[in-house]
Structures are given as structure tokens and as C-alpha cells.
Amino acid sequence: MVATDYEAVPAVAGDAETSSHGTLVMKFGGTSVADTERLKAVAKRIVAAREEGERVVAVLSAMGDSTDDLVALAYEMSPRPKPRELDMLISVGERISCALAAMAIHDLGHEAISLTGSQAGIVTDTTHGKAKIVDVRARRIHEALDAGRIVLVAGFQGVSTDYDITTLGRGGSDTTAVALAAALGAAVCEIYTDVDGVFTADPRVMPEARKLHAVSYEEMLEMAASGAKVLQLRSVEFARNHGVMLHVRSSFNPAAGTWVIEEDERMLEKAMISGVTHTLEETLYWVEEVSASRLFASLADSSVNVDTIVQTGETEIVFSAPSDDASAVTEALDGLGVPWRARDDLGKVSLIGAGMKSHPGVAARMFAVLDDESIEPKIVTTSPIKIACHIPREDVERAVRALHHAFELHRPDAERPHAS
Ligand code: ADP
Ligand code: ASP
Ligand code: MG
């Protein structure tokens, strides 16, 4: 049994009746707002869009690594910070960025208003630390836009149906931006980041990686789910389900980036593989003497994001989960009182491409490449457009390089340019 399921995204009622075109949602990540100079540059870019006539909503992340610093501060205070208070604390970083950007925009001669996620109408469920957006009540944003203001929204956070402040999981500002784009009826959501777009592999591991002109929603879902952290997985689900086109591009230069859109001919024929992704941040678990239904019900109750699931025999189930969820998994498995063991010396390398559906032999070639490198896959999982292998963690970067080369992703065609 192999499964990779993406969760359904709720309909965002938003204020759809008042939605208008000409609205642009721009999201800026942590490195893009790392200091006051960069925030001033971001303010200029936002103002430039406004001066082109757009109604602009900008979603900002916390400055640089400040979310990490806030998390560390919490653990300095307590070994097990209460999730509600942790969210109160770590949601602060995004508010700082927005308030500072609003000041810079005023100095550039434009009206701007900064809003917390709660003020912006981002309503979530009650799961602290990885809350899901259940509604966007965008009336206040519409009013500010109608008054000619630029709206700055603190990413990564919302208010729960119990009126508590929640956060959306690491990288969650992407999801704030896409949910707002969907609720406001914006056709495009621009994701400004510290690389030029989505690449055929993490450009920090693979300097020869190519920037893709276009990837399909399905490919981007698989890439995000398997380690390409340039977009949070849930933001891609939102974009696909609401027909929002994503444009992932650099904060530091004006070049066009990568479009995440419906599948087209380029993705099927021109370059059937979109990229090689990897992750080092997963733990694998082997569990015995438990039914799948009991096991996964218990993990779901503990809000564990299970990824790979393999039923290897009558009694053994193997699954993976993010390393961040390790204590929740331990609690759930101990609660079941069944034998289990974990391994966190494995990473995962995945090959993704819409063209795999119609081109056989990709798996064979992938295994041959790994074999040549004397890397033995421990667990293999597939979807129609992905093949993923769990391999020893120390071999992961070597595997990425070998696969990138073997599938010729360093060549210009891998970029999927439009036929001209
Ligand atoms: P931001 O702070 O702007 O949200 P992130 O750090 O969340 O940025 O995501 C951008 C990073 O994602 C890049 O710096 C890059 O190292 C990493 N990354 C991993 N895989 C890819 C990929 N395939 N394409 C682009 N970036 C990738
Ligand atoms: N600041 C949050 C994080 O570091 C959210 C984000 O940047 O998207 O995860
Ligand atoms: Mg991010």
C-alpha cells in the first residue's frame, strides 16, 4: 500500500461578491525583509506596483531568522512551551515586518495600513503550530483597498474559531498570501523570495540547476511535499483548488521567475522531468501489531503530518513524518502500546515530472543511477508523477547530483521555455 494524499482545501467564502480584478497579492519571504534596508527596497517594489494602478495587498514574513530566534527563546524559557503561548510569541515577527514596511511606504508618499492575520480576517481551526485556514473574511482589506491604501498583512498567522492566535506551520506566509489571493479574486499571487524561481533542484545543493519557466500545480505539490521548501505545500493546494496562478520570483532582481499553472505541452514533452528534490528532515517509523485504521487515527488525533505509508506485511506498517513531529509521534505510538522503532539516519531523494505518466522507464533509470553510485534505496514510493527513494542521509546530496546529471536537468531544455 502506497499513498500520498493531499488534503482538501476549504472553500474560502471570503467576500467573493465584492472581489475585483486588478488586485495583486505580493508575498515577501524572510530573507527579502531581513533588515531595514531590504524592507525599504520591498516598500519601493510595493509602491511601484501601486503606481501601476494595482490594488496591492502585500504579505510579509518575519525578518531573517527571527522566527527561529523566537522559537529558541520559548525553549529557553520552558522545555515544553504551551502551544497557545508559543503561537502568541512566534506570530510577532510578521507584525514587526508589516509595521516597519508601512512606515517606509508612508515615507514614499503612499497610504498604507498594516494588519495582523486576525485583523485581516484569516480564520483558522484550533490546531496551534499548524493551523489550517477555514475562512477568509476580507471585508476590512476591501475597505482599505477601496480607500486607496496599500494593505500589509502579517503572514503565517490567523485567529482560531476559539478566538486564539494561531500559526500556520513553518513557511506559512505563502499560504496566507495564496488564501488572500483566492478570497480577493486576484488572478495571480506573486511569491518574492531569495532565489530566482523554482529550480530543477535546490540551487544551494546543485549550482547547475536551471530555473524552470513553468511547472504544473501537480508537479509543484509533489515538489513541495518532498522537500523543495520554496513554497509551503498547503499554499500550492490552495492555488490549485482556487485557480490562482503563482509567480515565484526574486526579490532582488526584476527578472521573470517560475509560473505555477495548469499542465501544458511543455511539461509533458519538452522536459518530462521537472526536478529532483530531497529532504533530510524526515523520520521513518516501523510499527507492528496494529491495524492501519487504529494507527493512523491515533496519528491524526495528534495532528501528525504522515507522508510515505508502506504496509510491508501482515503486521508491519512503515510511515514517515517530519522530524518536527517526532514528539507527537512518540506520544501517539506509546499511547497505542504497540512495538515500534524509528530511524532518523535516512533522507529522501525524489524525481518529479508530469511527463512520467506517458514515458515508461524512468524508475528503471533512476535505480540504475543509484546503483552506479552504490546507493541502495531502503524504501521506494511512487505516484503517477513521482518516484521517491529513502536512502542513507549522507548519500542524499550525491544522489541529487547524480540524478540531476543523468536526467540532463543542467541542459537549457530543462527550463521548459515556450516554443517561439
Ligand atoms: P522565503 O523565506 O522567501 O519564504 P524559503 O527559504 O522558504 O524562502 O524558500 C526558498 C529556498 O528554498 C531557497 O533559498 C532554496 O534554497 C530552497 N529550495 C529548495 N529546493 C528548491 C527548488 N527546487 N527551487 C528553488 N528553491 C529551492
Ligand atoms: N516566519 C515563518 C517561518 O519562518 C513563516 C514564513 O516565513 O513563511 O516559518
Ligand atoms: Mg518560505
Side-chain angles (χ1 to χ4, degrees):
M1 180 177 78
V2 175
T4 305
D5 266 339
Y6 302 108
E7 290 182 46
V9 165
V12 277
D15 288 323
E17 72 279 7
T18 52
S19 73
S20 56
H21 289 279
T23 302
L24 180 64
V25 177
M26 308 168 84
K27 178 258 170 178
F28 294 88
T31 316
S32 313
V33 296
D35 54 36
T36 48
E37 282 314 306
R38 286 193 178 165
L39 266 169
K40 284 180 190 171
V42 163
K44 279 194 191 140
R45 200 143 184 175
I46 293 169
V47 162
R50 175 77 192 104
E51 288 179 348
E52 276 172 25
E54 303 276 7
R55 290 153 64 89
V56 180
V57 176
V59 174
L60 305 190
S61 287
M63 295 169 74
D65 295 331
S66 59
T67 308
D68 291 335
D69 298 342
L70 290 168
V71 171
L73 191 61
Y75 282 93
E76 220 176 279
M77 190 56 81
S78 159
R80 299 183 68 179
K82 245 177 122 35
R84 180 189 182 279
E85 304 309 330
L86 189 59
D87 274 354
M88 275 296 272
L89 179 72
I90 67 176
S91 58
V92 166
E94 277 55 22
R95 293 173 57 167
I96 293 173
S97 302
C98 286
L100 291 173
M103 294 172 197
I105 290 171
H106 283 141
D107 290 345
L108 294 169
H110 282 264
E111 283 293 315
I113 181 171
S114 62
L115 299 174
T116 64
S118 164
Q119 289 173 317
I122 308 281
V123 182
T124 74
D125 66 15
T126 56
T127 315
H128 285 291
K130 47 176 138 171
K132 290 189 172 134
I133 296 175
V134 296
D135 198 8
V136 180
R137 299 179 187 157
R139 180 147 303 127
R140 187 150 182 203
I141 297 181
H142 280 297
E143 283 169 6
L145 291 172
D146 289 344
R149 290 181 165 151
I150 292 167
V151 179
L152 296 154
V153 177
F156 174 57
Q157 59 189 276
V159 60
S160 76
T161 46
D162 284 346
Y163 308 105
D164 281 322
I165 299 299
T166 48
T167 61
L168 309 179
R170 299 308 303 266
S173 298
D174 298 329
T175 301
T176 305
V178 181
L180 284 175
L184 296 170
V188 177
C189 180
E190 295 190 322
I191 305 284
Y192 289 86
T193 186
D194 57 3
V195 286
D196 287 352
V198 180
F199 282 71
T200 51
D202 186 340
R204 295 186 202 286
V205 170
M206 199 65 216
E208 302 94 319
R210 293 270 177 179
K211 180 178 79 185
L212 293 151
H213 289 220
V215 287
S216 70
Y217 292 116
E218 279 66 30
E219 288 174 317
M220 197 64 234
L221 280 170
E222 294 284 13
M223 290 177 84
S226 60
K229 69 178 187 141
V230 62
L231 285 171
Q232 196 195 33
L233 175 59
R234 203 157 166 83
S235 73
V236 189
E237 294 177 304
F238 250 106
R240 177 189 60 177
N241 291 9
H242 293 276
V244 176
M245 292 187 283
L246 302 180
H247 186 189
V248 181
R249 57 193 304 192
S250 170
S251 283
F252 308 123
N253 68 57
T258 302
W259 286 89
V260 184
I261 51 178
E262 295 291 346
E263 184 176 286
D264 69 28
E265 162 281 324
R266 285 173 293 175
M267 304 165 190
L268 297 172
E269 294 302 331
K270 200 160 213 160
M272 62 170 181
I273 304 296
S274 59
V276 186
T277 54
H278 72 281
T279 177
L280 306 173
E281 289 147 22
E282 265 189 12
T283 307
L284 273 155
Y285 300 87
W286 280 255
V287 191
E288 284 177 75
E289 295 169 25
V290 66
S291 68
S293 61
R294 211 173 137 231
L295 171 62
F296 293 110
S298 158
L299 292 167
D301 283 346
S302 304
S303 300
V304 173
N305 283 332
V306 174
D307 181 34
T308 304
I309 300 171
V310 187
Q311 182 131 30
T312 51
E314 280 287 297
T315 59
E316 190 181 56
I317 298 172
V318 184
F319 69 91
S320 70
S323 303
D324 279 353
D325 286 354
S327 57
V329 177
T330 303
E331 218 164 283
L333 296 179
D334 285 347
L336 289 169
V338 293
W340 64 276
R341 66 194 163 89
R343 271 184 82 164
D344 55 14
D345 59 337
L346 297 177
K348 187 172 69 177
V349 60
S350 311
L351 204 57
I352 289 143
M356 268 184 214
K357 286 178 286 196
S358 46
H359 293 78
V362 176
R365 214 156 123 211
M366 181 173 187
F367 297 138
V369 172
L370 294 177
D371 201 38
D372 280 351
E373 295 285 323
S374 308
I375 299 171
E376 191 198 339
K378 306 286 180 211
I379 291 175
V380 178
T381 45
T382 62
S383 84
I385 63 164
K386 178 193 75 178
I387 304 164
C389 297
H390 279 90
I391 58 176
R393 202 166 271 187
E394 68 265 18
D395 294 335
V396 166
E397 293 197 0
R398 193 158 52 88
V400 170
R401 283 192 285 271
L403 289 166
H404 197 271
H405 192 77
F407 284 88
E408 304 193 330
L409 296 175
H410 54 290
R411 291 167 62 97
D413 243 16
E415 292 180 6
R416 301 173 160 176
H418 265 300
S420 54

